Amino acid sequence: MKRLFVYVNYVRFLPCWCFFRLLSAELQSLIKQDFVRWMRILRQKDGAAITLYDFVDLLLFFPHFRSLVYSRLKTERTYAAKVCGIFASPLPLLDIDSQHIGGGLFIQHGYGTIIAPRSIGKNCWVNQGVTIGYTNATDCPTIGNNVTIYCGAKVLGNVTVGDNSVIAANAVVVKDVPPNVVVGGVPAKIIKHIEA
């Protein structure tokens, strides 16, 4: 039954598939990295090839994946995200506003989440209710590779979060976070060092 439902919805997501195929190789590569990671986490499937069926499956059942794809589309083709949004709207409470997001970003749930950093590295994980954002017109965070940010956390201002770090639930990060640590609390402090 699910397979039939996905096939019926091909029509809704065909424009998105076409725009994806027209993107530059670099942007296609980022979306492929996202796709592979989401399929591994949500569908327990490994594989580097993007099939139309699996692409539509993720776009149909996971609006936070849809928002991420639309965000990537608008970096090269602003109108593409708007056209795709006519057929299937993005998650309304998820705001992704950055030109520099590494591949493999996973957003779990994404409700009430604002992602507006200077840049995010590869393979990061962001939970619901997270704010990554500005404290004024120019100060925004830089997030490293393999960073996990749990629900309700806030990363604010001109801070750098090092690679392989974990930001605990409801932590408020207003100072730089070194690599390979777990931080938590208000304001966030180092709780534990992670062995690399």
Side-chain angles (χ1 to χ4, degrees), residues 64-105:
H64 33 302
F65 178 73
R66 196 180 314 151
S67 293
L68 177 59
V69 170
Y70 292 178
S71 171
R72 294 212 190 270
L73 283 175
K74 74 180 176 188
T75 61
E76 249 180 48
R77 302 174 187 270
T78 307
Y79 65 90
K82 292 179 181 179
V83 169
C84 292
I86 292 170
F87 298 101
S89 63
L91 188 66
L93 298 175
L94 173 59
D95 181 25
I96 304 171
D97 185 22
S98 180
Q99 300 284 325
H100 307 288
I101 298 176
L105 175 65

Side-chain angles (χ1 to χ4, degrees), residues 6-194:
V6 171
Y7 285 134
V8 168
N9 277 280
Y10 268 31
V11 142
R12 288 176 60 201
F13 297 104
L14 206 51
C16 192
W17 176 258
C18 293
F19 287 128
F20 162 69
R21 305 300 285 175
L22 294 172
L23 294 173
S24 68
E26 180 185 350
L27 201 49
Q28 274 191 25
S29 172
L30 289 174
I31 293 174
K32 284 178 184 176
Q33 290 171 48
D34 295 336
F35 173 82
V36 167
R37 185 145 191 242
W38 283 67
M39 287 300 288
R40 189 176 314 117
I41 292 168
L42 298 172
R43 297 291 190 232
Q44 290 75 44
K45 287 173 106 177
D46 281 325
I50 297 182
T51 65
L52 177 58
Y53 177 85
D54 288 333
F55 190 70
V56 170
D57 177 35
L58 284 181
L59 289 172
L60 178 61
F61 292 108
F62 301 100
H64 33 302
F65 178 73
R66 196 180 314 151
S67 293
L68 177 59
V69 170
Y70 292 178
S71 171
R72 294 212 190 270
L73 283 175
K74 74 180 176 188
T75 61
E76 249 180 48
R77 302 174 187 270
T78 307
Y79 65 90
K82 292 179 181 179
V83 169
C84 292
I86 292 170
F87 298 101
S89 63
L91 188 66
L93 298 175
L94 173 59
D95 181 25
I96 304 171
D97 185 22
S98 180
Q99 300 284 325
H100 307 288
I101 298 176
L105 175 65
F106 182 74
I107 303 164
Q108 188 168 23
H109 305 305
Y111 297 102
T113 301
I114 298 169
I115 302 173
R118 182 168 288 112
S119 67
I120 294 182
K122 290 183 168 195
N123 297 319
C124 290
W125 182 303
V126 177
N127 279 74
Q128 70 273 16
V130 168
T131 299
I132 302 170
Y134 292 82
T135 53
N136 60 40
T138 58
D139 290 344
C140 60
T142 302
I143 310 294
N145 297 320
N146 304 309
V147 172
T148 302
I149 305 173
Y150 284 108
C151 58
K154 312 291 181 255
V155 184
L156 304 170
N158 189 21
V159 298
T160 300
V161 177
D163 295 346
N164 309 309
S165 292
V166 176
I167 299 172
N170 294 317
V172 178
V173 177
V174 291
K175 293 182 181 174
D176 289 350
V177 174
N180 304 309
V181 296
V182 176
V183 297
V186 180
K189 295 179 177 107
I190 296 173
I191 297 172
K192 175 181 170 184
H193 289 274
I194 303 169

